[in-house]
Amino acid sequence: MIQNTPQHPATDPIVAAILLVSAMAATVWYEWKTKHRIHPSTILWPLPFLASEVLVATWGIMGICRVDASSICIHAVTTLICGVIPILRRPFLDWLDKQDGVMPYVICIGRDALLMAATSVISVISLETACNSAHLASIPSAFFYTSALIVFLITLILYFAGQRCGGACCIAVVICCGFGIAEHFVIEFKGAALLPSDLLAMGTAMAVSEGYHFTFDTSIVASLTWAAVACAMLSLISPPRLSKRSHIIANVGVNIICALIAWSCVSSAFANVKLEDALDFSYDRWWPISSYQTYGFIPVFTATAQNFEIKQPDNYSDIETQDIQAQLAAQYDAGRGSSPERQAAVAQYNELKPTVITVMNETFSDLSFFDALRDAGYAGPQYFNSIPDALIRGSLMTSITGGGTANTEFEYLTNNSLGFIGSGKYPYSLYSLKHVDSLAKQLGDAGYRTLTMHPNLPDNWNRRTAYQSLGFSKFLSIDDFQGAPSYHSGVTDAATYDKILEELNKSDSPQFILDVTMQNHGGYDAGTVPDEDLTHYAPAGLNDDTCARMNVYLTCIEKSDQELSAFMEQLRELDRPVVLVFFGDHQPTVSATMNDELYAGENSLEHTARIYSSNYFVWANYDVAGAEQISQQEAIGASELSARVFDLIGAPLTDYQKALLATRQDVPTFSGVCYVGADGQLYALDGDSPYAAVIDHIRRMQYLNFARKL
């Protein structure tokens, strides 16, 4: 709570600004009067401090500076003193220039190193004060001083590039202060963390910022104060004056070489020293702001940036890859694309333009594939497994297990696999997806209304930004589910289904709706579901704790199954064509434990692959031309599912989607972990196999259609 807000918060900085201008004028007058050379730095150096005073005064005049009187006074006085320091430094620098031999160089090197080290620490304080003041004192020392080291290395590059002048070094201070203030407002307006991908969408951010009301508080003014202190210290950095032309030229050349060496070393360290490994930590991909608060801005931002790059395939060529894609697309067109079934579906689709509803059900999976659980009497979700008229259904190979919902979501919406992006990466949080193709853009261009919903915080996994970039025109988050019933871990599936039906009633136009549910989210501790609902399966081979968590999970799935049944009955009654795509994003965390306990000692790809799958079905409330609604079993990967759906219902396909479908003759299903070949065998994604060339083609096409657009 801000208290003692001054009546006129602009008074102190205005007075300080006047005094600083007076000091500058007096110094210039004195140098002119005594016939001394008027050094440009006497005028230039105080200007940033003057700008800081004027800026805070302007905020006060505009009424957007909510800062207590003492903080305003501290900023005004401190910045005034800092502005005077560059004016008073000249006698010391002149004395240094008059010294002979190596003494001035020794003094300069020692002075510059100490000042850059000190200002690096102060710059980190400035950054964290603006956006993380409540947690600044609790940042572990290893992370704080790593932040300072990173700033020091950047300052060192600027030091040499700027010919060892303090002015260039101030750029590092300004960057730190600027990032801190930017993160402050990103937290305030979005409740999220500033990510490297946000820098790629800076133009969009500036455009939408006009709709926000900016208020500058004590933390921002304090950040500016720390930045002023750092810049004042850096003003004391100035190289010895050289008189000989040859010395000046040699000095410039040496400094440039040193800057290049420093840049090379820093770049190499960034590429080869993973901060997560070096500091032995892992940042929270789901809710990165918590990691920013715990470890500080710079380590987490840097670790995120280090995960940014997608490795280019060996001997990659855009032209060659375009030829591969064109050939595979032509293969699809000559086969399935020209078949009577596909042609009939296309004609029907063009006439009906059915609404496409996708339900990505949180952690939904049929665990009856565990032999011991099936032997204990569990047959899987009853309704889900008994839908008689699904178009296709089966296992869905996923690139994640136990968590990371947004990655399956990403794969489904973009037809891109995490296997070719990198382990542990989360595209929603890492990249700007503005130019990436997606189902929402595809159907939006076809005249569909595009809507997505997730009854949780809109910035989890950076969804708010990602959805907008992927082409969704509307996003319903937790704020749109106020008062909705909850079960286990959040808003019920049924509440999201009611919202879907509500949205359908708003318009007769075709719609594409993505529903990312929340109900079944982990963990599965005892007491999180009603006792009367709890299942009591006891598979042989599981310990009591695992069994208890498994039963909580199965109870959640039973609840979801019941609500799915009610939803589909309502869809059957709708007087409009609807296609429903339903799948689980990943298996629960308890699956990994079950896998290890039930198959102890098993060390194989099959053991790993067992928990990297979920289940899906595709259904329509009308007879899809060219398709028999007989619940055909078909395993598929999450990144190929939407292309298969479009193929099935007759929707237009991109060349990339056609090419992916064509590769399924050799690789019917794959994920970021493994794939199944046409021979029915399981292979590691990067391992040797008779189908390695096909996987390489998919990798190259994805690089062309995704990585090249980032």
Side-chain angles (χ1 to χ4, degrees), residues 59-60 89 93 137 186 204 228 238 247 287 300 330 335 347 368 370 433 455 480 536 564 567 573 616 638 646-647 675:
W59 294 340
R89 70 184 183 137
L93 297 179
V186 170
T204 301
S238 181
H247 291 177
W287 189 238
V300 180
S368 63
F370 284 114
L433 305 176
D480 300 284
H536 297 281
L564 172 63
F567 178 49
E573 299 300 320
Y616 82 97
F646 277 28
D647 166 67
Y675 62 93

Side-chain angles (χ1 to χ4, degrees), residues 107-282:
I107 293 175
C108 284
I109 292 172
R111 174 202 61 192
D112 296 353
L114 288 174
L115 288 173
M116 286 192 294
T119 55
S120 296
V121 171
I122 295 173
S123 295
V124 175
I125 295 174
S126 173
L127 190 161
E128 297 294 343
T129 297
C131 62
N132 195 27
S133 56
H135 302 89
L136 174 57
S138 62
I139 295 175
S141 58
F143 290 85
F144 181 87
Y145 288 112
T146 296
S147 299
L149 175 61
I150 292 172
V151 175
F152 178 83
L153 293 174
I154 294 172
T155 305
L156 187 65
I157 295 171
L158 294 169
Y159 171 75
F160 286 118
Q163 296 300 307
R164 295 166 57 199
C165 291
C169 298
C170 287
I171 295 174
V173 179
V174 173
I175 289 174
C176 286
C177 184
F179 267 102
I181 294 173
E183 171 70 347
H184 172 95
F185 286 113
V186 170
I187 293 172
E188 180 176 327
F189 297 142
K190 296 175 56 180
L194 183 66
L195 299 168
S197 58
D198 294 325
L199 302 183
L200 301 178
M202 191 62 72
T204 301
M206 294 299 293
V208 302
S209 66
E210 296 178 1
Y212 295 115
H213 177 69
F214 290 83
T215 301
F216 299 86
D217 64 13
T218 302
S219 65
I220 292 179
V221 173
S223 175
L224 291 173
T225 305
W226 282 111
V229 172
C231 288
M233 295 173 68
L234 290 172
S235 72
L236 300 175
I237 292 179
S238 181
R241 192 176 300 163
L242 301 175
S243 56
K244 293 184 179 180
R245 181 180 178 83
S246 59
H247 291 177
I248 294 174
I249 295 174
N251 186 66
V252 170
V254 169
N255 285 332
I256 292 175
I257 291 172
C258 289
L260 292 174
I261 292 173
W263 171 259
S264 177
C265 292
V266 171
S267 299
S268 177
F270 179 83
N272 298 299
V273 180
K274 296 301 181 184
L275 215 54
E276 281 190 276
D277 297 333
L279 293 176
D280 191 24
F281 82 109
S282 179

Side-chain angles (χ1 to χ4, degrees), residues 676-696:
V676 176
D679 58 3
Q681 298 298 309
L682 193 66
Y683 298 96
L685 190 66
D686 293 322
D688 293 330
S689 85
Y691 311 101
V694 178
I695 292 297
D696 184 61

Side-chain angles (χ1 to χ4, degrees), residues 427-565:
Y428 275 14
S429 299
L430 278 177
Y431 308 114
S432 172
L433 305 176
K434 185 177 180 180
H435 302 293
V436 174
D437 295 334
S438 74
L439 301 191
K441 291 177 183 177
Q442 203 170 341
L443 291 174
D445 291 342
Y448 278 65
R449 177 173 177 255
T450 56
L451 163 74
T452 182
M453 63 180 69
H454 178 55
N456 208 311
L457 298 175
D459 291 298
N460 289 354
W461 294 126
N462 200 37
R463 278 194 174 94
R464 192 203 308 265
T465 300
Y467 284 154
Q468 184 179 17
S469 298
L470 289 173
F472 285 101
S473 58
K474 187 175 182 180
F475 174 26
L476 304 180
S477 64
I478 189 62
D479 292 338
D480 300 284
F481 288 87
Q482 296 298 319
S486 62
Y487 190 86
H488 176 59
S489 192
V491 172
T492 63
D493 294 354
T496 68
Y497 300 154
D498 289 343
K499 189 71 72 173
I500 290 174
L501 295 169
E502 178 184 317
E503 291 294 329
L504 291 179
N505 288 331
K506 290 181 179 179
S507 173
D508 292 330
S509 300
Q511 300 187 47
F512 172 53
I513 299 176
L514 172 66
D515 174 16
V516 180
T517 70
M518 186 64 193
Q519 174 180 295
N520 303 329
H521 195 280
Y524 306 103
D525 298 329
T528 57
V529 296
D531 289 341
E532 61 270 22
D533 292 349
L534 191 61
T535 62
H536 297 281
Y537 296 101
L542 293 185
N543 68 42
D544 292 343
D545 177 68
T546 304
C547 195
R549 289 188 293 122
M550 177 201 71
N551 276 295
V552 171
Y553 169 75
L554 296 180
T555 302
C556 293
I557 296 305
E558 187 168 320
K559 177 74 170 176
S560 286
D561 194 48
Q562 294 166 1
E563 293 178 351
L564 172 63
S565 172

